[in-house]
Amino acid sequence: DAGVTQSPTHLIKTRGQQVTLRCSPKSGHDTVSWYQQALGQGPQFIFQYYEEEERQRGNFPDRFSGHQFPNYSSELNVNALLLGDSALYLCASSLLRTTSNEQFFGPGTRLTVL
Amino acid sequence: AQKVTQAQTEISVVEKEDVTLDCVYETRDTTYYLFWYKQPPSGELVFLIRRNSFDEQNEISGRYSWNFQKSTSSFNFTITASQVVDSAVYFCALSEAGSGYSTLTFGKGTMLLVSP
C-alpha cells in the first residue's frame, strides 16, 4: 500500500518564476492538505482540497494556488516566487469522514528560490 | 485562535537518559485532538500519537509515554532510556473540531540530540 508521494524531491528556481509541486495521496484517501515548513519552523497550513474544491485556506497570499484532480492527486502552484518561499513543502492526505481526519504526510519537496 | 508552544528549542542528552519534551496549547474549542510527530533529517513527518480532548489517560508505548493534562493545557512527551536513533525534531500539533479537524497547527518543534 503506497503512502503519500510527492514530486519532485528538490527544486531550484529563481525569483519571479512559477513552480508546480505534485502530490499523490495514500490509497483510499480523498483529501489533500499542503503545508509550508520554513527552516527551523513548524509546518504551516496552506490549504486543503476535497472533491476538487478548496475547502480551507490558511494565511497565504493568492500567489499560492492549488488543484485537485478526480483521482484525488493534487498540485500546488506558486507564482512570482520570492526568496521567502524557500521551504520544505509537505503534502498530507486524509479521509474526510473519519472522526479525527488524521493526516498522513509525504516526504516533502524542498524548494530553493535564488 | 489556536496556538501550540514548544518552549524547548533544542535538547541534548546522552544515550540512556530520560528526556521530556514539553508542549502547551491554546484553543477555544472543547473538542480537539493533539498529536506528536517525529521529523528525522529525511524530512518526512512520522506520526507518533493522537489524543482526544476527552481522554486524559496517560499513554505508554514502549519507551515513549505521554502526559495529557487539560488543567494546564499541556501534552508532554517522555522518552525513557533515549537512543541515538531518537535524534530528530519533534513536533506537537493541534486539530480542532471547529475547523472540521481540517488543519493541524504545529509548534516550532524541539530538536533532540542523543549522543552515544
Side-chain angles (χ1 to χ4, degrees), chain B residues 2-105:
Chain B
Q2 67 273 26
K3 185 178 178 183
V4 176
T5 301
Q6 295 179 255
Q8 304 150 309
T9 305
E10 185 174 318
I11 300 175
S12 292
V13 299
V14 177
E15 223 176 2
K16 297 184 184 176
E17 282 186 29
D18 298 347
V19 57
T20 296
L21 309 181
D22 298 333
C23 172
V24 175
Y25 62 93
E26 294 176 30
T27 177
R28 294 176 186 169
D29 257 317
T30 55
T31 307
Y32 50 88
Y33 281 90
L34 293 164
F35 301 80
W36 275 95
Y37 285 88
K38 175 181 180 180
Q39 188 174 46
S42 61
E44 187 167 348
L45 283 169
V46 178
F47 167 81
L48 295 177
I49 190 171
R50 176 184 69 235
R51 213 79 187 127
N52 183 305
S53 56
F54 296 112
D55 183 1
E56 285 192 73
Q57 262 193 325
N58 292 331
E59 181 157 339
I60 298 174
S61 175
R63 295 185 298 108
Y64 297 169
S65 62
W66 291 269
N67 182 355
F68 176 29
Q69 293 196 341
K70 284 179 79 170
S71 61
T72 56
S73 297
S74 65
F75 186 43
N76 296 337
F77 172 33
T78 297
I79 301 175
T80 303
S82 60
Q83 300 176 1
V84 173
V85 294
D86 294 328
S87 297
V89 181
Y90 290 85
F91 291 97
C92 180
L94 167 69
S95 177
E96 299 171 309
S99 70
Y101 305 113
S102 294
T103 67
L104 283 167
T105 299

Side-chain angles (χ1 to χ4, degrees), chain A residues 4 33 35 37 40-45 48 55-56 88 90 96 98-108 110, chain B residues 33 35 37 39 41-47 50 52 89 91 95 98-109:
Chain A
V4 179
S33 303
Y35 291 80
Q37 186 180 12
Q41 302 294 316
Q44 295 223 319
F45 175 73
Q48 184 181 78
R55 183 169 177 264
Q56 291 252 355
L88 179 68
L90 294 163
L96 189 68
T98 55
T99 305
S100 67
N101 195 18
E102 182 178 337
Q103 300 186 22
F104 292 78
F105 285 83
R110 187 163 298 281
Chain B
Y33 281 90
F35 301 80
Y37 285 88
Q39 188 174 46
S42 61
E44 187 167 348
L45 283 169
V46 178
F47 167 81
R50 176 184 69 235
N52 183 305
V89 181
F91 291 97
S95 177
S99 70
Y101 305 113
S102 294
T103 67
L104 283 167
T105 299
F106 286 86
K108 291 190 175 182

